[in-house]
Amino acid sequence: MNLQNIPPKVAVRILAFFNQVQQVSDIMDTLIQDDPADGPGRTIGPALAARILKVRAEQDAGQFDTLEQLDAIPGFGAGIWKDLVYSFGRTAAEAFRDSLYVNNVIYRENWPVWIFEFPIENTEHFQELAGNEAAYRAFISEKLSDISQQGNVVDSLAQAAVTGVKTAHIERFQDEILSALSFGIWFYRLDPGNWFSFERMYEQTLAYFQYYVPRYAFQQIYYSMPIELITFKGVPGNIMNPSGIIAPDLVTVLDHQAQRVTIWMGTLYD
């Protein structure tokens, strides 16, 4: 793999990870996922993990400064780089949704979840959305209208959502714990009396809102603000399919680190 093609923020996260881990088990935990694009396989095994820690200790100040230093370690081949780019290059929303299915918290067959992500390149525009409620309402309404033009939507639900976000009561959480609890409850309300495990869902939602503040202290590298949960109360929680159970509220997320807005939708076929 050409290391120069790795996006700078992804490279920073990779280096931060390998500079913060303390033991072999830290490297081998589930933060590094196998890239499904090249078929099933393994990621970093114990021998390579131990080698990485040994080589790191031999560097100046005991830290890796470049990706090339990692690449020079025997066993650090193209497959490992693909796994790292896949693991650290996914958006927070993508990583969270994948975790729900990979960890069998919910099942893809009867509980599809849609994410609609909108990166905001202009920092001033993003800050306006984050700090101006009217601007944020208008932005979400516009994006819902765009989504409704893609087909496979329920017109009545789409219209209710487009207009509803303009006046609906908003619940906004900047605290990671409260955001995780609220988002977990959003899922829980779809299936409170069946097999659903709120505790397992909460583990995943908490990891989502701590995506940039994990146990390896990435926030010391380029952390700015937490991911915020913004819920529009009473606005349909899905406009994509009418035949299942949908949440009574529309969930959106402001990802300050990535300057990205995400609209979440889900349906349970019980």
Side-chain angles (χ1 to χ4, degrees):
M1 171 177 286
N2 186 344
L3 302 184
Q4 301 304 313
N5 292 334
I6 297 178
K9 284 187 176 181
V10 177
V12 167
R13 294 201 79 225
I14 292 172
L15 284 172
F17 172 77
F18 286 111
N19 281 331
Q20 295 289 337
V21 291
Q22 298 300 312
Q23 52 194 0
V24 167
S25 60
D26 292 341
I27 297 176
M28 295 178 60
D29 78 5
T30 56
L31 192 60
I32 301 177
Q33 298 286 323
D34 180 51
D35 182 0
D38 57 1
R42 63 179 303 177
T43 56
I44 295 177
L48 177 55
R51 202 175 302 131
I52 291 169
L53 294 177
K54 180 178 182 295
V55 172
R56 185 184 71 183
E58 297 168 352
Q59 304 300 312
D60 293 340
Q63 298 279 286
F64 292 114
D65 296 320
T66 67
L67 297 183
E68 284 73 17
Q69 291 171 325
L70 285 168
D71 195 46
I73 299 173
F76 221 100
I80 297 296
W81 282 113
K82 288 182 180 179
D83 292 342
L84 291 173
V85 171
Y86 170 75
S87 299
F88 293 100
R90 291 178 295 172
T91 66
E94 290 171 335
F96 167 63
R97 184 179 62 177
D98 290 349
S99 75
L100 295 181
Y101 295 132
V102 169
N103 295 308
N104 295 320
V105 179
I106 62 177
Y107 300 107
R108 195 185 305 270
E109 294 75 15
N110 73 325
W111 202 326
V113 175
W114 291 267
I115 51 176
F116 300 92
E117 298 196 85
F118 306 99
I120 312 297
E121 299 295 335
N122 185 286
T123 299
E124 290 184 1
H125 183 204
F126 182 83
Q127 291 174 344
E128 180 187 18
L129 294 178
N132 185 318
E133 182 178 295
Y136 190 72
R137 288 179 185 272
F139 178 86
I140 296 299
S141 180
E142 175 189 347
K143 295 308 178 183
L144 286 171
S145 181
D146 292 343
I147 293 169
S148 70
Q149 302 303 314
Q150 298 176 12
N152 194 32
V153 301
V154 183
D155 290 338
S156 59
L157 292 177
Q159 186 58 43
V162 169
T163 58
V165 297
K166 298 176 182 178
T167 58
H169 173 68
I170 283 180
E171 286 186 346
R172 184 169 186 169
F173 301 98
Q174 293 180 307
D175 178 85
E176 303 152 14
I177 304 298
L178 292 178
S179 294
L181 285 169
S182 181
F183 202 17
I185 290 171
W186 184 82
F187 282 95
Y188 179 75
R189 292 174 70 186
L190 290 172
D191 192 24
N194 204 336
W195 55 269
F196 185 92
S197 168
F198 179 79
E199 291 76 12
R200 295 191 65 214
M201 176 60 74
Y202 175 66
E203 290 178 359
Q204 304 304 318
T205 56
L206 184 60
Y208 177 28
F209 291 100
Q210 292 182 338
Y211 188 71
Y212 301 113
V213 205
R215 52 196 173 278
Y216 304 118
F218 293 135
Q219 74 273 22
Q220 296 177 4
I221 307 299
Y222 60 93
Y223 170 73
S224 55
M225 287 185 66
I227 303 173
E228 289 188 64
L229 183 73
I230 301 178
T231 301
F232 292 87
K233 305 297 290 183
V235 176
N238 190 13
I239 65 175
M240 300 300 294
N241 196 310
S243 60
I245 303 169
I246 66 172
D249 305 320
L250 182 71
V251 165
T252 69
V253 166
L254 264 174
D255 184 337
H256 286 263
Q257 199 285 318
Q259 291 193 181
R260 185 180 300 266
V261 176
T262 305
I263 298 175
W264 287 88
M265 298 183 189
T267 294
L268 172 65
Y269 301 104
D270 196 2

